[in-house]
Amino acid sequence: MKKMILCAICAICGFTTANAQKFGHVNAQEIIQAMPEFTKARADIEALTKTYETELKSLQDELQKKAEAYEKEQATLPANIKERREKELQDMYQKIQQTYQDNQQALAKEQSEKMQAIQAKVIDAIKQVGQAGNYVYIMDIAGGVPYISSTLSTDVTAEVKKKLGL
């Protein structure tokens, strides 16, 4: 009976080591930052940001000029014109606020769309490396994994970069 149990344990241990599982880790942030698509996306977002800033500055300058003109004429204007000009200034101020909010939303959307495409490409490359290397899983260390054993887990960052042509 003891021999049978011992044989069963040896068989289980042999089966487990024969089917050794491979684990990998990758630094996706490093890969993304090395991609030309990321550099282009960042440049596109910066250019769009400058465009929006220029538009907003133009609106603010226009408001400033009208406010200064109103202040100079305010004492001599009839009440109905004063009221109308104050309403115009308030409307311009609200338009500037709305433009700022719209621009921020548009920037966030543009950045999200560009990054999703880049991340999808990296994830696809990680999956291909994982399947080709028969990995059980590949963890992204950029996600804040507190510890990864370098003896039990293989860094596949270079393989993923190679797969992406970097």
Side-chain angles (χ1 to χ4, degrees), residues 101-156:
Q101 290 174 357
D102 292 346
N103 290 351
Q104 292 301 310
Q105 288 174 352
L107 275 173
K109 181 181 177 194
E110 186 73 18
Q111 186 171 15
S112 174
E113 288 173 358
K114 288 183 182 294
M115 286 307 295
Q116 282 178 350
I118 293 168
Q119 289 170 339
K121 191 172 181 181
V122 170
I123 288 170
D124 187 49
I126 291 170
K127 285 179 183 177
Q128 290 175 18
V129 167
Q131 289 171 349
N134 293 320
Y135 288 92
V136 174
Y137 65 82
I138 297 176
M139 295 179 68
D140 182 7
I141 61 172
V145 178
Y147 172 75
I148 292 180
S149 171
S150 59
T151 57
L152 299 175
S153 178
T154 306
D155 186 355
V156 295

Side-chain angles (χ1 to χ4, degrees), residues 10-21:
C10 287
I12 290 172
C13 290
F15 179 73
T16 306
T17 53
N19 291 329
Q21 298 174 340

